[in-house]
Amino acid sequence: MPEPEPVFDSSGQPIDDAAKVDLLCTALMWGLLRAQVRTQWSTVAFPEAAEKGTDDREMLRISPTGPQLAQFMERTLWGTLPMAAGTPGERALYQRAYDAVAAVIDGVDLSIAEGVAVPDIVIDARIALE
C-alpha cells in the first residue's frame, strides 16, 4: 500500500504532527467497502484492494488521507439508506463501518496542541441484527 500523502497547512507548509487515521479490516471487508466508497463522479482515489492471492481473512491496514476519509464517511452513510444499498446485509455492513469510524473520530480531543493520538479503527466482519 502506498504511503499516505502529507498534510499541509494553509500556507502550504507540511504539518508533521497531523493526526493520522488507520483503518484495520479484512481483505474481503476492504474489497466490499472500497466498492461502495469509490464513485465515478469523484477524483478521490482509494488504495487498491488486497494483492492477488491474499487470503480474504487477512487483516489490512488502510491509511486514508483526509479527502479519502471524508468520502469514506459520506459514501458509507449513503449506503445505509434503503434506496441506496441492495440488501439489508449491505446496509448493515456500511452502518457498521460508519459507526466504527465515527466513534473513533468523535473521541479525538482536538484541544491537544501536539499531534493527536488516534487509535486504529477496526472494522470487523460481524454483521449483527441490531
Side-chain angles (χ1 to χ4, degrees):
M1 303 263 166
E3 288 295 315
E5 297 175 17
V7 178
F8 298 94
D9 66 15
S10 60
S11 67
Q13 296 299 315
I15 301 173
D16 295 330
D17 60 353
K20 180 177 142 277
V21 175
D22 283 344
L23 304 175
L24 296 176
C25 59
T26 63
L28 177 61
M29 178 70 76
W30 177 243
L32 295 170
L33 290 172
R34 185 176 183 274
Q36 172 65 18
V37 300
R38 293 175 58 217
T39 174
Q40 65 188 10
W41 300 285
S42 175
T43 59
V44 176
F46 284 87
E48 292 297 321
E51 293 180 17
K52 196 170 197 165
T54 300
D55 188 304
D56 283 345
R57 296 168 294 183
E58 185 175 328
M59 293 298 284
L60 301 179
R61 180 176 296 274
I62 310 298
S63 299
T65 62
Q68 288 170 336
L69 187 61
Q71 185 165 317
F72 180 94
M73 295 299 288
E74 186 270 333
R75 295 294 299 163
T76 54
L77 183 60
W78 174 258
T80 65
L81 301 174
M83 74 261 195
T87 67
E90 289 173 326
R91 288 193 300 275
L93 175 106
Y94 304 140
Q95 186 70 57
R96 182 172 297 283
Y98 180 88
D99 290 346
V101 175
V104 170
I105 299 301
D106 287 347
V108 173
D109 184 359
L110 299 177
S111 66
I112 298 174
E114 298 294 318
V116 179
V118 180
D120 290 337
I121 300 169
V122 180
I123 304 172
D124 66 22
R126 277 181 305 127
I127 301 298
L129 298 174
E130 297 178 11

